[in-house]
Amino acid sequence: MPGEELRSGSSPTQTQQMLSPIDLANDGGEAWVWIQIKAEARRDAETEPALASYLDPNLRSATVADLIAARYRDPACVSFSHCLLNYKGFLACQAHRIAHKLWTESRRPLALALQSRISDVFAVDIHPAAEIGKGILFDHATGVVVGETAVIGNNVSILHHVTLGGTGKAGGDRHPKIGDGVLIGAGATILGNVKIGKGAKIGAGSVVLIDVPPKTTVVGNPARLVGGKDQPRRHDEVPGESMDHTSFISEWSDYVI
């Protein structure tokens, strides 16, 4: 049976001899086509080093973690395929991973050219030297800027118009270090070589210029710790995964509309 030939892993030539394109499409051919695509990609990567990074196991692992992050943290993400095909924050992050790999391989002109193209297409500007962990959600993503020496941990969620920048023209290690599980709200700006502790929450529109302790929340401009700097209120959640932006409000302000 034609289907049996497909399942047995027959070569393209054998299958093409047995089935017309229409028969192939109607008889389980989708699985066969994807097998061929992967085989061809591996073949091409062996002959062209610039393509090999797309098959890197670490990149594949990070990509899957990012897909899961988008699918389960963002209620607007209706499916994995929607994320893979259309989600510009996810796509920008994957493109950056390629640029970063090129950067670490000392292929810096190509990495910078890719960065420029990512910025043009997605309105996301991440320096190829910046280090980004797994399980990252760039929600909406427009206007995100990440500097050269920035480091972003695992399971971090970052909304639109967030800047992880420097404080001036000084060189060296000059950009923020974001711990695992951090949530950074829309429009937040974090400047300088400051450390945002594991599981911290940065409120929307905040301007952060100093270190933030783990599992605390900062809001405002300049940012202040909810609960005060002497006894800041701590939470047990992982904000980067829970996506809880507003639970601190009752303790931060008594303003009522």
Side-chain angles (χ1 to χ4, degrees):
M1 294 291 291
E4 292 297 325
E5 291 294 332
L6 288 173
R7 285 188 289 272
S8 67
S10 58
S11 70
T13 301
Q14 292 172 324
T15 302
Q16 290 168 353
Q17 290 174 346
M18 297 184 63
L19 297 176
S20 71
I22 294 176
D23 291 335
L24 186 62
N26 292 333
D27 195 30
E30 297 93 339
W32 175 82
V33 169
W34 281 114
I35 291 171
Q36 301 311 311
I37 289 172
K38 289 188 289 185
E40 291 162 4
R42 290 188 178 92
R43 179 199 64 204
D44 293 343
E46 290 174 357
T47 60
E48 175 46 64
L51 298 175
S53 57
Y54 286 97
L55 299 173
D56 183 284
N58 291 329
L59 292 179
R60 291 202 303 267
S61 175
T63 297
V64 170
D66 296 344
L67 276 171
I68 293 171
R71 178 68 182 90
Y72 291 108
R73 292 183 212 162
D74 183 0
C77 186
V78 297
S79 66
F80 290 112
S81 58
H82 164 63
C83 177
L84 181 65
L85 297 173
N86 305 311
Y87 216 68
K88 82 170 190 175
F90 169 81
L91 295 172
C93 186
Q94 306 323 304
H96 165 75
R97 295 191 188 283
I98 302 300
H100 180 69
K101 183 171 178 61
L102 292 170
W103 184 270
T104 60
E105 293 175 347
S106 297
R107 305 174 70 184
R108 296 186 174 184
L110 182 56
L112 291 168
L114 182 54
Q115 174 201 4
S116 177
R117 185 60 178 157
I118 295 167
S119 180
D120 288 342
V121 173
F122 299 116
V124 175
D125 194 354
I126 307 174
H127 193 284
E131 300 177 22
I132 297 181
K134 299 179 180 180
I136 304 301
L137 171 62
F138 287 124
D139 193 355
H140 298 287
T142 299
V144 168
V145 176
V146 180
E148 178 181 9
T149 61
V151 177
I152 299 173
N154 299 320
N155 302 314
V156 172
S157 293
I158 298 176
L159 274 80
H160 49 290
H161 292 291
V162 164
T163 296
L164 306 181
T167 57
K169 294 175 65 176
D173 194 358
R174 62 195 185 278
H175 295 105
K177 310 298 180 285
I178 310 300
D180 295 347
V182 168
L183 172 62
I184 306 178
T189 299
I190 306 173
L191 300 178
N193 186 14
V194 298
K195 183 177 181 180
I196 309 302
K198 182 177 180 179
K201 185 186 302 185
I202 312 299
S206 299
V207 177
V208 181
L209 303 174
I210 59 175
D211 292 352
V212 175
K215 293 187 173 295
T216 61
T217 300
V218 296
V219 293
N221 180 7
R224 292 167 288 169
L225 284 162
V226 172
K229 63 180 181 180
D230 295 326
Q231 291 184 317
R233 177 175 177 257
R234 295 183 178 270
H235 48 254
D236 295 326
E237 63 173 321
V238 180
E241 298 180 9
S242 72
M243 302 296 291
D244 181 359
H245 291 267
T246 61
S247 61
F248 63 88
I249 288 179
S250 62
E251 297 189 18
W252 179 250
S253 173
D254 59 0
Y255 179 72
V256 178
I257 297 176

